[in-house]
């Protein structure tokens, strides 16, 4: 009986054991009045992924590519999670590692959750992007090749930032807020909520695509039926605005797969995206 109890205890311990993630080269608070603590006060849950359930001190985490050329591009990553959690490793640090492996610097943004605080998240995104651009020289980044990549709700946030960059939604704080927070390109992976609440075939009113919207790479599956219209609406809007866009549509794969492999062809999206990033940043 004692050995059985010990086995159960060990299994339970493994189930909740922290998942290791790479250490960023630098962490920076998004807001000066909410500085980062020596030990993060994010509320975190460990299952098959790391779920950050509460962020009150938004942060950017910089991951420098060791194989990048001088003046290399960078991608700012918004993990998804329905604006209620952040899928921190699945749609954050694992993506940073992949980008680093192809010579691209990466920044993971921990934006405000939970509570579906979309306006707060957009402010976090605008501020974070300005900070990254202000750090471009120090971090070896080409300031004119900084893009954004978002998954699910993070895809909505990426689209929101890509179409709402002209004016900050908060009072300017410092020099970083005087720099453009317009992404130079966007990557939307199974984006969510880019539709009107009453008619999913209509664009979300806050997403206003025009001729100055950055080019986009979009990945979607048809069996992600609740959210699939997001990709269609954004692609159609890019077409109407005569902005370059590349939509990769697959029959199966569902939602929330990140970069993790499966038997579905959707698992090949990182290779296609890497090729698109190379073409887009070499213009």
């Amino acid at each position: 009986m004692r050995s059985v109890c010990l086995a159960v205890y060990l299994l339970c311990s493994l189930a909740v054991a922290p998942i290791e993630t790479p250490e960023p080269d630098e962490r920076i608070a998004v807001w000066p009045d909410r500085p980062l603590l020596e030990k993060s006060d994010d509320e975190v849950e460990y299952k098959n992924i790391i779920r950050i359930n509460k962020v009150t001190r938004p942060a950017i985490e910089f991951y420098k590519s060791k194989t990048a050329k001088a003046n290399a591009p960078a991608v700012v990553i918004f993990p998804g999670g329905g604006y209620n959690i952040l899928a921190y490793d699945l749609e954050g640090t694992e993506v940073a590692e992949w980008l680093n492996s192809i010579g691209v610097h990466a920044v993971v943004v921990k934006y405000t959750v939970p509570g579906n605080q979309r306006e707060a998240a957009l402010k976090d995104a605008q501020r974070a992007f300005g900070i990254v651009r202000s750090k471009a020289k120090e971090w070896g980044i080409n300031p004119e090749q900084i893009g954004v990549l978002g998954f699910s709700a993070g895809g909505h946030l990426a689209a929101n930032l890509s179409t709402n960059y002209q004016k900050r939604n908060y009072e300017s704080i410092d020099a970083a807020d005087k720099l453009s927070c317009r992404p130079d390109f966007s990557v939307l992976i199974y984006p969510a909520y880019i539709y009107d609440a009453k008619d999913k075939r209509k664009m979300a009113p806050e997403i206003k695509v025009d001729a100055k919207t950055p080019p986009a790479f979009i990945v979607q599956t048809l069996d992600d039926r609740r959210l699939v219209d997001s990709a269609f609406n954004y692609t159609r809007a890019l077409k109407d605005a005569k902005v370059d866009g590349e939509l990769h549509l697959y029959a199966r794969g569902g939602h929330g797969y990140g970069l993790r492999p499966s038997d579905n062809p959707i698992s090949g999206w990182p290779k296609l995206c890497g090729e698109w990033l190379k073409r887009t940043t070499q213009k």
Side-chain angles (χ1 to χ4, degrees), residues 237-251:
L238 291 174
K239 183 265 294 181
D240 291 345
K242 297 184 170 71
V243 174
D244 288 345
E246 189 167 310
L247 171 64
H248 292 267
L249 183 64
Y250 297 81

Side-chain angles (χ1 to χ4, degrees), residues 126-143:
Q126 291 177 333
R127 171 77 179 156
F129 216 90
I131 293 173
V132 172
R133 193 157 262 139
S134 74
K135 291 281 187 179
K137 184 175 181 181
E138 177 184 337
W139 288 349
I141 294 171
N142 185 333

Side-chain angles (χ1 to χ4, degrees), residues 8 19 72 87 135 155 158 176 199:
V8 170
I19 300 168
K135 291 281 187 179
D199 185 351

Side-chain angles (χ1 to χ4, degrees), residues 8 31 36 38 46 54 57 61-62 84 110 115 119 133 143 172 175 180 198 203 214 229 246-247 267 273 278-279:
V8 170
W31 304 103
L36 303 184
E38 187 173 328
Y46 299 93
K54 187 175 184 179
R57 298 173 185 270
E61 299 181 341
F62 174 57
N84 282 303
K110 293 158 69 176
E119 179 63 23
R133 193 157 262 139
S172 179
S180 172
K198 295 180 179 178
M203 176 65 83
D229 289 289
E246 189 167 310
L247 171 64
S267 295
C273 184
K278 187 175 181 180
R279 292 194 302 272

Side-chain angles (χ1 to χ4, degrees), residues 9-75:
Y9 171 79
L10 290 172
L11 285 172
C12 291
S13 298
L14 288 171
V16 298
I19 300 168
E20 290 187 9
T21 57
E23 187 68 19
D25 293 271
E26 190 166 348
R27 285 189 180 90
I28 300 175
V30 170
W31 304 103
D33 63 343
R34 282 173 274 170
L36 303 184
L37 303 177
E38 187 173 328
K39 183 178 180 182
S40 172
D41 61 353
D42 298 337
E43 292 183 6
V44 183
E45 179 184 6
Y46 299 93
K47 289 188 177 177
N48 60 320
I49 66 170
I50 299 173
R51 292 174 170 84
I52 300 181
N53 299 316
K54 187 175 184 179
V55 175
T56 57
R57 298 173 185 270
I60 60 177
E61 299 181 341
F62 174 57
Y63 295 85
K64 186 176 183 65
S65 172
K66 306 305 185 283
T67 60
K69 297 179 180 178
N71 213 32
V75 172

Side-chain angles (χ1 to χ4, degrees), residues 82-180:
Y83 285 109
N84 282 303
I85 69 151
L86 300 181
Y88 178 65
D89 57 339
L90 176 69
E91 297 170 349
T93 58
E94 292 176 12
V95 184
E97 288 184 290
W98 164 67
L99 287 166
N100 285 175
S101 75
I102 60 172
V104 177
H105 303 304
V107 176
V108 176
V109 178
K110 293 158 69 176
Y111 56 90
T112 302
V113 291
N116 198 21
Q117 300 182 66
R118 300 187 190 188
E119 179 63 23
L122 178 58
K123 292 177 183 178
D124 294 341
Q126 291 177 333
R127 171 77 179 156
F129 216 90
I131 293 173
V132 172
R133 193 157 262 139
S134 74
K135 291 281 187 179
K137 184 175 181 181
E138 177 184 337
W139 288 349
I141 294 171
N142 185 333
E144 297 180 357
Q145 291 184 354
I146 304 175
V148 65
L149 187 160
F151 296 82
S152 193
H156 174 271
L157 182 55
N160 207 1
L161 178 64
S162 296
T163 58
N164 288 284
Y165 56 82
Q166 300 90 340
K167 184 174 183 273
R168 298 295 207 276
N169 288 24
Y170 56 91
E171 293 295 325
S172 179
I173 297 171
D174 54 30
D177 291 329
K178 300 185 186 306
L179 299 174
S180 172

Side-chain angles (χ1 to χ4, degrees), residues 220-228 232 249-254:
Q220 184 59 54
T221 62
L222 276 172
D223 64 351
D224 185 13
R225 303 196 189 284
R226 185 172 67 90
L227 301 174
V228 67
F232 293 157
L249 183 64
Y250 297 81
R252 295 182 180 85

